[in-house]
Amino acid sequence: MDKTLEKPDKNGSPDFWNVGANTMTNNSHSLIPEKQVSLSDLHQQTGRTCISIGWNFVLILTTLIVLSACITTPVLAGTKYMSGSPDLSVSIEGNNEFTPGTSVPLTVMVQNSGLNQMKFVQSGIVETDDNPSTAKMVTVTLYPGDCPILVKSDSQMIGDVDSSESVPATFEIRIPDEARAGTYYVPIVLDYTYLGNSEQVGTDSIVYRYINKKDEKILPFVVQSAINLDIVDIQSDSISAGSSGYITLTLKNTGTDAGKKAVAKLVRDENSPIIPVDSNVFLGEFNPDDTMQAKFKVSVSEDAEPQQYPLSLLVTYENADGETVDTPVQKFGIPVGSKVTFTITNPPAEIRPGQKVILEVAYRNDGSVPVFGAEARLSAVDPFTSDDDLAYIGDLKPGETGIAHFKVSVGSDATVKSYGLDSEVKYRDALDDSQISDTIKIPVTIVEKEGIGALLGNPIVIAVLLMIILGAGYYVYTNRKAMPTK
């Protein structure tokens, strides 16, 4: 049996590199001659083997990466639609019932229910910008047809309408006063374009073929049974600032339908100074061409200026369908006169201290409405007193003047100057309501006394007279004493 002998190297370690030397020497049956391999040759062979293994590893890794990219990266594909087209329909948004005599916005909803029925997805196909089910550049036109409406708007452009999308188009319309109740059909025309087909040219170009189409649709349009309210006459009785009055309105049903249980309602307009007191008047049956009167009581604030102010009126009634509806609000103006004021037209009275006189005062009605049963009241203060401070004037139309008389006394020590006595006028307006005017000043002037009265009122004159009287008395007394007794 062959044996491999180990012999230590110079460092004492076994030398494994001399293989089979002793075996070949001792084994006489071996046919292979002994070959000794040096250490440097073995190192060269090992290096070449390692380099070869490294290149093989890089080649295998590169191949795996390429195969992985081919497996995980999908092939780019495009979509081509083979069939489909828009399918547009229209409807009125909200309620489709309208009242005669109104102007309203009519919103029409355009809906696309078209579908793409077939498409191909394949590599090499260039993706198209549009699909056949999209309605492009849609224009909506509303026509009155046989419906009693006036279309105020032009055609409306609503752009593209994709499949399953709804787009609104709004028109301003007017339903005339004389429109008869009933169901009508309003024609609507839709003009649009859609993709008929597309053809790919080469690998990066597409030829589009569009189709222009015009669709005519109809919409059910209901005109309600309604009366048409018209205010044919307005009468106001002596309405002025700070007072009350009546407004009488003549109403006419100019429509073609009757209203039952009709009630006329007067409504205050925002911040108008005219305030309805009695705001509802029952009219009852209001048939076509009927004319009725409604009388309302109103009051006016004191700060109202002389001008016209707005009020609103509507009629609530039951129509032929048994529904309770309101007519469109009618606005109208009511003239308001200036607040009732009085002016004293006679010049200031002149009174002397200690004098008692009948003071005559002329009051002029400077308001825009008549007053009834006017009475003037005087407020006398020191140095004046009055035994009769109330005077009756009577009825005064605008611009008329009435005379009041007061008994006035002036104290003897009154200072000579001008005074203003307070007075006011109480009266009744056109509704027999009691009203009181603002304070009116009565001008009065205290003047110096004249004649003997003026002399007797002067203290110097009184002192001189007193000295003269005393002197005369003394003279008489001394003369009588000097005369001999008989």
Side-chain angles (χ1 to χ4, degrees):
M1 185 173 183
D2 295 340
K3 294 182 180 179
T4 301
L5 298 179
E6 298 179 1
K7 59 180 179 179
D9 58 8
K10 293 180 180 181
N11 296 327
S13 300
D15 188 359
F16 294 96
W17 304 110
N18 293 326
V19 181
N22 294 330
T23 303
M24 292 298 295
T25 303
N26 298 326
N27 189 357
S28 60
H29 298 286
S30 175
L31 297 179
I32 302 173
E34 179 181 359
K35 183 179 181 180
Q36 187 173 356
V37 180
S38 66
L39 184 60
S40 59
D41 292 338
L42 185 59
H43 284 172
Q44 291 178 358
Q45 292 177 3
T46 304
R48 287 193 295 268
T49 303
C50 291
I51 292 172
S52 176
I53 294 172
W55 280 109
N56 291 336
F57 177 77
V58 171
L59 180 61
I60 293 171
L61 182 60
T62 303
T63 303
L64 291 175
I65 292 174
V66 172
L67 291 175
S68 176
C70 293
I71 293 172
T72 58
T73 303
V75 178
L76 296 178
T79 301
K80 181 176 182 179
Y81 295 97
M82 303 302 296
S83 63
S85 63
D87 184 9
L88 301 183
S89 59
V90 294
S91 62
I92 295 177
E93 184 182 45
N95 191 1
N96 70 333
E97 296 183 351
F98 301 90
T99 304
T102 58
S103 294
V104 295
L106 177 67
T107 300
V108 177
M109 300 301 299
V110 180
Q111 182 176 0
N112 184 3
S113 56
L115 298 174
N116 296 315
Q117 299 173 352
M118 182 182 297
K119 70 177 181 179
F120 285 142
V121 180
Q122 184 179 347
S123 61
I125 296 179
V126 179
E127 194 79 22
T128 59
D129 296 328
D130 297 319
N131 63 73
S133 64
T134 299
K136 299 182 66 63
M137 298 178 290
V138 180
T139 300
V140 186
T141 306
L142 178 68
Y143 294 97
D146 296 332
C147 184
I149 63 171
L150 174 64
V151 180
K152 298 181 178 180
S153 302
D154 294 330
S155 299
Q156 303 294 305
M157 298 184 64
I158 61 174
D160 296 351
V161 183
D162 294 331
S163 177
S164 302
E165 185 181 14
S166 294
V167 180
T170 302
F171 301 87
E172 288 292 331
I173 64 171
R174 168 76 181 175
I175 300 94
D177 298 338
E178 63 276 7
R180 290 186 173 275
T183 301
Y184 301 87
Y185 294 94
V186 180
I188 289 184
V189 175
L190 305 175
D191 292 286
Y192 61 94
T193 298
Y194 69 95
L195 179 62
N197 61 74
S198 61
E199 181 180 350
Q200 182 172 334
V201 180
T203 60
D204 57 0
S205 300
I206 299 179
V207 177
Y208 295 100
R209 294 181 178 86
Y210 289 92
I211 299 175
N212 296 325
K213 190 170 182 180
K214 177 178 289 187
D215 281 348
E216 183 172 339
K217 309 290 184 180
I218 58 172
L219 283 174
F221 189 95
V222 179
V223 177
Q224 290 182 320
S225 172
I227 65 175
N228 184 39
L229 179 64
D230 189 18
I231 303 175
V232 296
D233 188 50
I234 302 172
Q235 297 291 332
S236 59
D237 299 333
S238 304
I239 298 179
S240 61
S243 66
S244 300
Y246 283 105
I247 297 174
T248 304
L249 303 177
T250 303
L251 310 178
K252 184 176 182 179
N253 179 7
T254 57
T256 58
D257 294 286
K260 298 179 181 179
K261 303 177 184 177
V263 177
K265 296 182 178 181
L266 189 66
V267 182
R268 182 184 181 185
D269 191 87
E270 296 181 357
N271 297 322
S272 173
I274 304 178
I275 304 170
V277 178
D278 300 328
S279 58
N280 292 346
V281 175
F282 184 77
L283 303 177
E285 192 85 11
F286 203 9
N287 296 312
D289 295 327
D290 279 357
T291 300
M292 295 186 176
Q293 282 192 339
K295 191 174 184 179
F296 302 93
K297 183 179 180 180
V298 297
S299 63
V300 185
S301 60
E302 293 185 355
D303 57 352
E305 297 293 332
Q307 61 184 17
Q308 283 202 350
Y309 291 95
L311 281 174
S312 299
L313 181 79
L314 59 90
V315 173
T316 300
Y317 63 96
E318 186 178 293
N319 64 11
D321 300 325
E323 300 174 333
T324 300
V325 294
D326 296 335
T327 64
V329 175
Q330 300 279 344
K331 285 193 176 185
F332 59 96
I334 291 295
V336 173
S338 60
K339 185 177 180 180
V340 174
T341 57
F342 296 92
T343 302
I344 295 176
T345 58
N346 54 334
E350 294 184 352
I351 308 176
R352 294 175 178 80
Q355 192 175 10
K356 185 174 183 179
V357 298
I358 300 296
L359 187 62
E360 182 178 285
V361 183
Y363 291 92
R364 185 182 64 205
N365 178 8
D366 284 342
S368 58
V369 296
V371 299
F372 305 95
E375 293 179 336
R377 183 185 298 274
L378 175 69
S379 297
V381 294
D382 186 65
F384 299 93
T385 58
S386 177
D387 297 333
D388 186 7
D389 58 0
L390 188 65
Y392 181 78
I393 300 176
D395 300 342
L396 293 178
K397 295 180 180 179
E400 286 187 347
T401 301
I403 305 299
H405 296 89
F406 305 100
K407 293 181 180 179
V408 177
S409 299
V410 182
S412 58
D413 57 348
T415 303
V416 175
K417 66 174 186 177
S418 296
Y419 293 84
L421 301 181
D422 291 342
S423 70
E424 60 186 15
V425 177
K426 183 179 180 180
Y427 61 93
R428 307 192 76 81
D429 60 17
L431 298 184
D432 203 31
D433 294 330
S434 181
Q435 306 286 344
I436 298 178
S437 71
D438 295 334
T439 299
I440 310 160
K441 292 288 187 179
I442 302 176
V444 176
T445 303
I446 303 298
V447 297
E448 297 283 356
K449 295 181 179 179
E450 295 180 352
I452 188 65
L455 293 175
L456 294 178
N458 193 329
I460 298 176
V461 174
I462 293 175
V464 172
L465 291 177
L466 183 59
M467 292 178 63
I468 293 174
I469 292 172
L470 291 176
Y474 179 76
Y475 176 77
V476 172
Y477 172 75
T478 55
N479 285 342
R480 286 183 177 181
K481 189 174 180 180
M483 289 179 60
T485 303
K486 293 183 178 180

